[in-house]
Amino acid sequence: MSELLGIPLKRTLEVDFAAELSKLIDATSFQTASFFTSDISKVAAARNNAITPDISIDGLDILKTYHTILLQLEKKFPNNQIEFTWFQTLSQKSRGCSQYSLQWEEITIIYNIGCMYSLLALNSNDSAESLKKSCLYFQNSAGCFKYVLEHQATLKSTPVVDDSTASTLTNLMLAQAQECFWFKAVQDNHKDSLIAKLSQQIVDFYGKAISDAQKSGLIRNDWINHLKAKKAYFCAVTYYRMGLSFNEKKQFGNMVKSLQTALKFVNESKLSSQAKFKTVIESTLKEAQRDNDFIYLQQLPLELPTIKPALMVKPSPVATLLPSTNNTEQLFKDLIPIEVMDYCTAYNERQDKYIEQRVRDPLNSLSKLLKGSMITFPIPQELVTINEMELIQYQSALNNLHLNNKNIQSELENIEEILNEEASSDNQLRIKHGTLNWTLPESSSANASYYEKLSKLKGYLNQGSAIDKQTDELFQSIDKALITAKIELPEATDPLTNKIKKVMQERNDYIEKTERKSSEYRILPKIISSYKKSGTSDFEAIFTDHLTYFDEDLRYVNNTKQENMRLIEEIELKEKNKPSEDDIEAKKIERLDPRELYIEDLKYSFKLLDEVKENLSAGTTFYENLINSTSNFRNEVQEYDTARRMQKTKLEESLTAEGQ
């Protein structure tokens, strides 16, 4: 057995890993790089050893060690901070590629491990043990190339090799592994029918490799020719062995047909071993033809039975080839990675949300409910005038809403124009070439989902326009002179008014105190302590316990609910004791109270202003979301339109060519 191919290792430029890691640690870690000098040196040495390994088991171990280190680095550091450069070695011209990606480096090392296994598989003789080892190494190599093919799709960068090349190498390695198995069967004098099935599987693997190689941007023509020669050779082997098997079954017509087919394929092969094998086939065929012509007189069949391949090899799972990171020296144990900081940030946001939902919002809602229950009472509540500049800002915000509405309307019209033009183009081409020839789906069905989405977006836009108009009307109805003028009122003499005012101020103060307390009591120290002990990133239980610190604040909110109910009861009682409608003189005096009239007007204007502000805030969010949705929709429609244009061009060129 000879003429097997090994895959050359990729080559790379040196990287000053020590300097790059040091900068990365200083920029992203709590600690400085000086704390990890030993680990940094080990990483740098591991890569330096891995870039030019010997073709040996020791060289293979060096690659695996470096790969294990890369897996550790991926967990500790951002993926896109260090640049690596590797050169292709399959094509006649070496082409380099550079990427800022630890994951890309890791998959490239898997590729080189696959190359190393293929080269080690060649360093064998024809002994049974050596064949077994070569077969295993080729399967290991195939597993590595399959891993590259499957995992490089997740890369946000240039692939390690193109998919066609990775598939070619996978099938080539499987073909050569199967060839080892076949050769052992030949040595052990197994039945010819079994050897033929083993050989047919080799043919299938080489067929797949050739198909992918012809689409590859890296596989050289001399390699493709070699693969074709190997396929033709093993086609000849398959039919030669089937011919011998037919002889055992006394199917002499089939035997002659098989040997003739074998001779045809061996003539197509350019392998160095072809000539010797051709002589064997010719000799056997000559004898078989003579015996059949003078003795057996069996008719040669038009077709031979299909040969079912016997698959004996498969790609080895990469996980079984590499050492576990749990059983290797752990580097940067005390380093606090960016991931942990991200967790802290996320938990801080959740803590702020917790305080907002459990303390701030409930207290504000209770005060709002209390305030709402006092609408008929002449109580000045937080009546603070605003300056004219603030009103100008609100007007400017309103103008922005109108502008956003107009811009989105224009964008939707552009999208609709794209869809209409696509439909018109499709209709014209359909008329030009005929419905039977124009096989693309009609635009009426292909565009339906886009028109439906367009209609929905227009509906949302119309809703926003109606709300904007309503907000505009609200803003214009505000007594702007009133809310910008200085308030001059006598001090309230009503005890209930003063009591409620004091309660609401206390609640506002408590909200500020709790938010300040939350900002000072963060989870970061607990997470760092837990991470150093366990090395895991499951902090949910710690966060749950952390929040118990605010239990007293939740109790305060619950007590405030009871207080709110009592105050509302007092308000209702006072409302009940107000002068009745029949007490004309009392009601007259109440209506003519200028203080109450002034306060009611002021409250009403501020109420309108609050509604305007709420609408402005909601409107801003609404248009931001609608702008994003419209932009995404526009990109989607443009991609669809581009795809349809390409389909139309391709189909029209095809129809034009047929017409010629």
Side-chain angles (χ1 to χ4, degrees):
M1 185 181 68
S2 61
E3 300 173 286
L4 300 176
L5 295 177
I7 313 304
L9 295 164
K10 275 195 169 192
R11 301 302 179 189
T12 183
L13 296 181
E14 292 186 3
V15 175
D16 192 346
F17 228 144
E20 294 294 332
L21 279 179
S22 296
K23 289 190 294 184
L24 197 53
I25 291 171
D26 288 338
T28 63
S29 170
F30 287 112
Q31 307 96 326
T32 62
S34 60
F35 284 95
F36 305 100
T37 302
S38 175
D39 289 348
I40 291 173
S41 298
K42 290 176 182 177
V43 173
R47 189 177 199 275
N48 289 337
N49 293 334
I51 60 178
T52 54
D54 294 332
I55 308 304
S56 64
I57 296 298
D58 288 341
L60 179 64
D61 290 339
I62 286 172
L63 290 173
K64 290 181 178 181
T65 298
Y66 179 51
H67 177 266
T68 302
I69 288 175
L70 284 172
L71 293 180
Q72 294 188 51
L73 295 182
E74 285 184 40
K75 294 179 181 179
K76 294 286 186 178
F77 298 101
N79 180 58
N80 59 348
Q81 298 297 306
I82 300 176
E83 183 181 32
F84 302 97
T85 301
W86 287 88
F87 295 90
Q88 300 288 1
T89 53
L90 284 172
S91 58
Q92 292 179 340
K93 183 178 180 181
S94 181
R95 290 183 286 179
C97 180
S98 300
Q99 297 292 326
Y100 285 88
S101 173
L102 285 169
Q103 189 182 9
W104 188 69
E105 173 87 347
E106 179 252 324
I107 295 180
T108 302
I109 294 302
I110 291 289
Y111 176 90
N112 263 9
I113 291 174
C115 296
M116 180 67 79
Y117 271 121
S118 77
L119 296 170
L120 290 174
L122 301 182
N123 296 334
S124 63
N125 52 46
D126 292 340
S127 68
E129 188 61 32
S130 183
L131 280 173
K132 182 178 179 181
K133 183 179 293 185
S134 293
C135 182
L136 176 62
Y137 283 171
F138 280 130
Q139 291 178 82
N140 292 350
S141 180
C144 292
F145 295 133
K146 183 181 178 183
Y147 179 94
V148 171
L149 176 63
E150 293 174 346
H151 287 75
Q152 68 181 0
T154 63
L155 293 174
K156 297 179 179 179
S157 57
T158 303
V160 174
V161 291
D162 61 88
D163 289 351
S164 295
T165 299
S167 183
T168 299
L169 298 182
T170 302
N171 285 297
L172 171 59
M173 293 300 103
L174 291 175
Q176 296 185 162
Q178 181 85 5
E179 192 172 338
C180 293
F181 204 95
W182 163 83
F183 190 70
K184 182 65 169 59
V186 172
Q187 288 184 330
D188 294 345
N189 294 317
H190 282 286
K191 289 184 177 181
D192 292 311
S193 58
L194 173 60
I195 294 175
K197 292 178 180 179
L198 294 172
S199 177
Q200 181 58 41
Q201 184 60 62
I202 298 173
V203 171
D204 290 352
F205 279 135
Y206 276 120
K208 294 176 183 177
I210 292 168
S211 176
D212 288 325
Q214 290 172 334
K215 294 179 285 187
S216 165
L218 296 175
I219 304 299
R220 306 193 306 261
N221 287 333
D222 58 327
W223 275 42
I224 295 176
N225 292 334
H226 177 79
L227 298 181
K228 290 179 179 179
K230 294 282 281 192
K231 179 184 177 183
Y233 183 88
F234 279 99
C235 281
V237 170
T238 300
Y239 284 102
Y240 172 73
R241 290 289 178 170
M242 283 303 298
L244 299 182
S245 176
F246 285 134
N247 184 49
E248 295 174 3
K249 300 174 183 177
K250 300 187 182 304
Q251 298 177 7
F252 303 109
N254 284 349
M255 177 184 180
V256 172
K257 181 70 173 180
S258 293
L259 292 174
Q260 289 175 342
T261 306
L263 183 61
K264 168 182 170 294
F265 280 115
V266 81
N267 284 329
E268 295 176 6
S269 177
K270 305 299 180 183
L271 297 182
S272 60
S273 56
Q274 176 262 3
K276 182 177 180 182
F277 185 35
K278 179 181 178 181
T279 301
V280 173
I281 296 174
E282 288 176 335
S283 174
T284 307
L285 174 60
K286 182 177 180 181
E287 183 178 349
Q289 285 176 325
R290 184 184 64 243
D291 290 348
N292 191 52
D293 290 342
F294 291 101
I295 303 174
Y296 306 115
L297 304 177
Q298 292 184 5
Q299 187 175 357
L300 272 62
L302 295 177
E303 294 183 359
L304 291 168
T306 301
I307 303 171
K308 184 178 180 180
L311 176 63
M312 304 304 298
V313 298
K314 62 181 180 180
S316 302
V318 167
T320 64
L321 307 179
L322 302 174
S324 170
T325 54
N326 296 329
N327 300 327
T328 56
E329 179 187 5
Q330 298 299 304
L331 304 176
F332 305 101
K333 288 182 181 179
D334 296 327
L335 183 72
I336 306 301
I338 296 299
E339 178 187 14
V340 174
M341 294 301 298
D342 290 341
Y343 274 116
C344 290
T345 300
Y347 281 126
N348 286 341
E349 291 175 357
R350 286 176 60 184
Q351 178 177 321
D352 292 340
K353 197 71 175 177
Y354 181 84
I355 297 302
E356 177 184 333
Q357 294 176 342
R358 301 295 186 89
V359 179
R360 192 190 74 182
D361 288 351
L363 289 179
N364 284 336
S365 296
L366 289 171
S367 294
K368 187 174 181 180
L369 180 62
L370 191 59
K371 181 179 178 182
S373 300
M374 298 176 60
I375 291 176
T376 59
F377 284 78
I379 303 176
Q381 303 175 40
E382 303 175 1
L383 301 181
V384 180
T385 58
I386 63 175
N387 57 47
E388 293 183 1
M389 183 56 67
E390 191 170 342
L391 287 176
I392 293 174
Q393 292 173 351
Y394 295 142
Q395 182 62 61
S396 176
L398 268 171
N399 295 338
N400 286 336
L401 296 185
H402 293 308
L403 180 59
N404 285 334
N405 188 286
K406 182 178 179 181
N407 289 339
I408 294 172
Q409 176 66 38
S410 176
E411 187 71 9
L412 293 178
E413 289 174 356
N414 290 337
I415 292 171
E416 185 172 16
E417 183 177 348
I418 292 174
L419 293 173
N420 290 341
E421 287 180 357
E422 193 282 325
S424 175
S425 171
D426 180 71
N427 185 53
Q428 292 173 3
L429 290 170
R430 196 172 300 279
I431 293 172
K432 176 180 177 181
H433 295 285
T435 303
L436 293 179
N437 293 325
W438 195 255
T439 56
L440 288 182
E442 292 188 15
S443 292
S444 58
S445 59
N447 289 352
S449 62
Y450 297 107
Y451 276 114
E452 182 179 350
K453 187 176 290 187
L454 178 64
S455 178
K456 287 183 180 180
L457 290 174
K458 285 183 176 181
Y460 295 148
L461 187 63
N462 289 334
Q463 293 174 16
S465 181
I467 296 174
D468 293 344
K469 181 179 179 182
Q470 179 185 2
T471 305
D472 234 337
E473 292 172 351
L474 283 175
F475 187 67
Q476 299 307 323
S477 65
I478 294 172
D479 189 341
K480 300 179 180 57
L482 180 64
I483 64 175
T484 56
K486 182 179 179 182
I487 298 176
E488 294 183 353
L489 288 174
E491 287 293 329
T493 57
D494 178 31
L496 181 57
T497 299
N498 291 330
K499 181 179 181 181
I500 292 175
K501 184 177 180 180
K502 182 179 179 181
V503 166
M504 294 178 67
Q505 184 59 47
E506 287 177 353
R507 293 174 184 176
N508 289 335
D509 292 342
Y510 196 88
I511 290 172
E512 292 180 5
K513 184 186 77 171
T514 307
E515 290 178 340
R516 192 163 53 248
K517 171 182 172 182
S518 175
S519 66
E520 295 171 355
Y521 183 71
R522 292 307 201 187
I523 198 173
L524 175 62
K526 297 179 181 179
I527 285 183
I528 292 177
S529 176
S530 172
Y531 181 81
K532 286 185 175 181
K533 289 180 181 178
S534 64
T536 62
S537 301
D538 185 5
F539 307 118
E540 194 63 27
I542 297 174
F543 180 65
T544 300
D545 180 70
H546 176 78
L547 292 179
T548 60
Y549 181 72
F550 302 100
D551 284 352
E552 63 175 310
D553 303 298
L554 303 186
R555 287 191 291 270
Y556 174 84
V557 172
N558 189 59
N559 294 334
T560 304
K561 292 179 182 178
Q562 306 303 318
E563 180 183 35
N564 227 55
M565 293 175 61
R566 291 193 298 269
L567 289 172
I568 290 175
E569 288 176 358
E570 290 187 46
I571 294 171
E572 291 174 346
L573 180 60
K574 184 172 182 180
E575 179 71 20
K576 183 178 180 180
N577 293 331
K578 286 182 67 175
S580 67
E581 293 296 331
D582 296 334
D583 193 345
I584 297 175
E585 291 300 323
K587 294 298 293 181
K588 183 177 179 182
I589 295 172
E590 185 181 9
R591 286 196 192 96
L592 295 177
D593 185 346
R595 182 175 176 273
E596 180 175 354
L597 292 175
Y598 176 83
I599 291 173
E600 289 301 323
D601 289 344
L602 193 57
K603 286 169 59 178
Y604 179 69
S605 288
F606 274 118
K607 180 176 179 295
L608 293 180
L609 184 61
D610 287 341
E611 292 180 13
V612 168
K613 289 191 286 186
E614 290 178 3
N615 286 357
L616 288 175
S617 176
T620 300
T621 302
F622 170 81
Y623 281 115
E624 286 176 354
N625 294 334
L626 192 55
I627 287 171
N628 289 334
S629 298
T630 302
S631 177
N632 293 336
F633 180 49
R634 178 198 61 210
N635 293 336
E636 184 181 348
V637 168
Q638 288 176 338
E639 290 177 3
Y640 161 79
D641 182 58
T642 300
R644 287 280 287 185
R645 286 176 185 270
M646 293 175 65
Q647 292 171 354
K648 291 172 185 176
T649 300
K650 184 176 180 181
L651 180 54
E652 188 167 28
E653 289 175 352
S654 174
L655 293 175
T656 303
E658 291 177 3
Q660 294 175 351

Tab-separated table of all heavy atoms in Angstrom, residues 578-598:
chain	number	residue	atom	x	y	z
A	578	LYS	N	-68.553	68.095	53.859
A	578	LYS	CA	-68.582	69.371	53.139
A	578	LYS	C	-70.025	69.860	53.019
A	578	LYS	O	-70.961	69.072	53.101
A	578	LYS	CB	-67.981	69.194	51.739
A	578	LYS	CG	-66.475	69.040	51.735
A	578	LYS	CD	-65.932	68.914	50.331
A	578	LYS	CE	-66.124	70.208	49.576
A	578	LYS	NZ	-65.521	70.176	48.244
A	579	PRO	N	-70.214	71.152	52.785
A	579	PRO	CA	-71.573	71.694	52.654
A	579	PRO	C	-72.339	70.988	51.546
A	579	PRO	O	-71.781	70.672	50.483
A	579	PRO	CB	-71.352	73.163	52.322
A	579	PRO	CG	-69.985	73.462	52.834
A	579	PRO	CD	-69.207	72.216	52.704
A	580	SER	N	-73.585	70.693	51.789
A	580	SER	CA	-74.423	70.022	50.805
A	580	SER	C	-74.833	71.001	49.709
A	580	SER	O	-74.631	72.209	49.820
A	580	SER	CB	-75.669	69.447	51.487
A	580	SER	OG	-76.487	70.508	51.955
A	581	GLU	N	-75.408	70.415	48.643
A	581	GLU	CA	-75.861	71.241	47.529
A	581	GLU	C	-76.979	72.186	47.967
A	581	GLU	O	-77.187	73.257	47.406
A	581	GLU	CB	-76.359	70.328	46.387
A	581	GLU	CG	-75.259	69.511	45.729
A	581	GLU	CD	-74.235	70.389	45.041
A	581	GLU	OE1	-74.591	71.496	44.587
A	581	GLU	OE2	-73.058	69.968	44.968
A	582	ASP	N	-77.727	71.808	49.019
A	582	ASP	CA	-78.843	72.648	49.490
A	582	ASP	C	-78.362	73.832	50.305
A	582	ASP	O	-79.079	74.815	50.463
A	582	ASP	CB	-79.809	71.796	50.346
A	582	ASP	CG	-80.459	70.702	49.505
A	582	ASP	OD1	-80.571	70.898	48.275
A	582	ASP	OD2	-80.831	69.659	50.075
A	583	ASP	N	-77.131	73.699	50.837
A	583	ASP	CA	-76.575	74.802	51.623
A	583	ASP	C	-75.981	75.817	50.655
A	583	ASP	O	-74.783	75.880	50.421
A	583	ASP	CB	-75.515	74.269	52.588
A	583	ASP	CG	-75.140	75.301	53.647
A	583	ASP	OD1	-75.493	76.492	53.458
A	583	ASP	OD2	-74.512	74.917	54.647
A	584	ILE	N	-76.880	76.642	50.086
A	584	ILE	CA	-76.503	77.544	48.989
A	584	ILE	C	-75.453	78.539	49.422
A	584	ILE	O	-74.480	78.799	48.696
A	584	ILE	CB	-77.763	78.273	48.472
A	584	ILE	CG1	-78.729	77.246	47.904
A	584	ILE	CG2	-77.367	79.277	47.402
A	584	ILE	CD1	-80.058	77.840	47.469
A	585	GLU	N	-75.620	79.121	50.592
A	585	GLU	CA	-74.680	80.147	51.025
A	585	GLU	C	-73.276	79.576	51.217
A	585	GLU	O	-72.286	80.190	50.819
A	585	GLU	CB	-75.185	80.788	52.333
A	585	GLU	CG	-76.428	81.634	52.169
A	585	GLU	CD	-76.187	82.785	51.215
A	585	GLU	OE1	-75.069	83.364	51.222
A	585	GLU	OE2	-77.082	83.081	50.402
A	586	ALA	N	-73.218	78.394	51.833
A	586	ALA	CA	-71.906	77.768	52.056
A	586	ALA	C	-71.231	77.410	50.733
A	586	ALA	O	-70.038	77.631	50.520
A	586	ALA	CB	-72.047	76.526	52.936
A	587	LYS	N	-72.019	76.854	49.796
A	587	LYS	CA	-71.462	76.487	48.494
A	587	LYS	C	-71.019	77.721	47.725
A	587	LYS	O	-70.027	77.707	47.004
A	587	LYS	CB	-72.510	75.720	47.669
A	587	LYS	CG	-72.878	74.364	48.239
A	587	LYS	CD	-71.714	73.411	48.309
A	587	LYS	CE	-71.234	73.027	46.926
A	587	LYS	NZ	-70.116	72.080	46.960
A	588	LYS	N	-71.798	78.812	47.881
A	588	LYS	CA	-71.442	80.051	47.207
A	588	LYS	C	-70.100	80.557	47.703
A	588	LYS	O	-69.240	80.978	46.928
A	588	LYS	CB	-72.531	81.083	47.436
A	588	LYS	CG	-72.288	82.390	46.707
A	588	LYS	CD	-73.447	83.332	46.934
A	588	LYS	CE	-73.213	84.664	46.229
A	588	LYS	NZ	-74.306	85.616	46.459
A	589	ILE	N	-69.954	80.499	49.037
A	589	ILE	CA	-68.678	80.948	49.613
A	589	ILE	C	-67.538	80.055	49.123
A	589	ILE	O	-66.452	80.514	48.778
A	589	ILE	CB	-68.771	80.938	51.158
A	589	ILE	CG1	-69.799	81.968	51.632
A	589	ILE	CG2	-67.399	81.197	51.763
A	589	ILE	CD1	-70.084	81.896	53.123
A	590	GLU	N	-67.797	78.742	49.049
A	590	GLU	CA	-66.758	77.790	48.631
A	590	GLU	C	-66.342	78.046	47.179
A	590	GLU	O	-65.165	78.046	46.843
A	590	GLU	CB	-67.289	76.368	48.784
A	590	GLU	CG	-66.238	75.308	48.475
A	590	GLU	CD	-66.807	73.908	48.613
A	590	GLU	OE1	-68.027	73.758	48.769
A	590	GLU	OE2	-65.999	72.965	48.535
A	591	ARG	N	-67.342	78.311	46.315
A	591	ARG	CA	-67.032	78.522	44.904
A	591	ARG	C	-66.262	79.828	44.693
A	591	ARG	O	-65.426	79.924	43.808
A	591	ARG	CB	-68.320	78.582	44.091
A	591	ARG	CG	-68.986	77.234	43.892
A	591	ARG	CD	-70.001	77.316	42.766
A	591	ARG	NE	-70.847	76.140	42.733
A	591	ARG	CZ	-72.041	76.064	43.299
A	591	ARG	NH1	-72.522	77.116	43.938
A	591	ARG	NH2	-72.767	74.963	43.233
A	592	LEU	N	-66.570	80.790	45.492
A	592	LEU	CA	-65.950	82.096	45.295
A	592	LEU	C	-64.587	82.215	45.948
A	592	LEU	O	-63.966	83.257	45.888
A	592	LEU	CB	-66.879	83.190	45.823
A	592	LEU	CG	-68.208	83.343	45.077
A	592	LEU	CD1	-69.062	84.411	45.751
A	592	LEU	CD2	-67.970	83.683	43.623
A	593	ASP	N	-64.132	81.164	46.581
A	593	ASP	CA	-62.814	81.197	47.219
A	593	ASP	C	-61.750	81.299	46.124
A	593	ASP	O	-61.506	80.338	45.383
A	593	ASP	CB	-62.606	79.920	48.043
A	593	ASP	CG	-61.299	79.956	48.828
A	593	ASP	OD1	-60.457	80.825	48.540
A	593	ASP	OD2	-61.129	79.105	49.716
A	594	PRO	N	-61.079	82.441	45.943
A	594	PRO	CA	-60.102	82.613	44.859
A	594	PRO	C	-58.902	81.682	45.003
A	594	PRO	O	-58.290	81.285	44.003
A	594	PRO	CB	-59.705	84.077	44.971
A	594	PRO	CG	-60.010	84.457	46.375
A	594	PRO	CD	-61.202	83.644	46.779
A	595	ARG	N	-58.587	81.314	46.232
A	595	ARG	CA	-57.446	80.413	46.447
A	595	ARG	C	-57.707	79.045	45.827
A	595	ARG	O	-56.854	78.476	45.156
A	595	ARG	CB	-57.202	80.293	47.950
A	595	ARG	CG	-56.012	79.416	48.331
A	595	ARG	CD	-55.804	79.467	49.827
A	595	ARG	NE	-54.735	78.568	50.215
A	595	ARG	CZ	-54.883	77.292	50.499
A	595	ARG	NH1	-56.078	76.751	50.413
A	595	ARG	NH2	-53.852	76.543	50.859
A	596	GLU	N	-58.914	78.562	46.070
A	596	GLU	CA	-59.254	77.248	45.516
A	596	GLU	C	-59.332	77.309	43.991
A	596	GLU	O	-58.850	76.405	43.289
A	596	GLU	CB	-60.583	76.745	46.083
A	596	GLU	CG	-60.956	75.376	45.531
A	596	GLU	CD	-62.196	74.795	46.162
A	596	GLU	OE1	-62.718	75.389	47.117
A	596	GLU	OE2	-62.651	73.749	45.673
A	597	LEU	N	-59.933	78.375	43.477
A	597	LEU	CA	-60.022	78.502	42.029
A	597	LEU	C	-58.631	78.570	41.406
A	597	LEU	O	-58.365	77.937	40.368
A	597	LEU	CB	-60.821	79.761	41.676
A	597	LEU	CG	-62.313	79.731	42.022
A	597	LEU	CD1	-62.939	81.081	41.737
A	597	LEU	CD2	-63.025	78.632	41.240
A	598	TYR	N	-57.766	79.334	42.012
A	598	TYR	CA	-56.405	79.466	41.485
A	598	TYR	C	-55.681	78.116	41.510
A	598	TYR	O	-55.043	77.703	40.534
A	598	TYR	CB	-55.646	80.496	42.327
A	598	TYR	CG	-54.185	80.646	41.942
A	598	TYR	CD1	-53.820	81.464	40.881
A	598	TYR	CD2	-53.185	79.955	42.631
A	598	TYR	CE1	-52.486	81.600	40.518
A	598	TYR	CE2	-51.859	80.083	42.272
A	598	TYR	CZ	-51.512	80.906	41.219
A	598	TYR	OH	-50.191	81.031	40.850
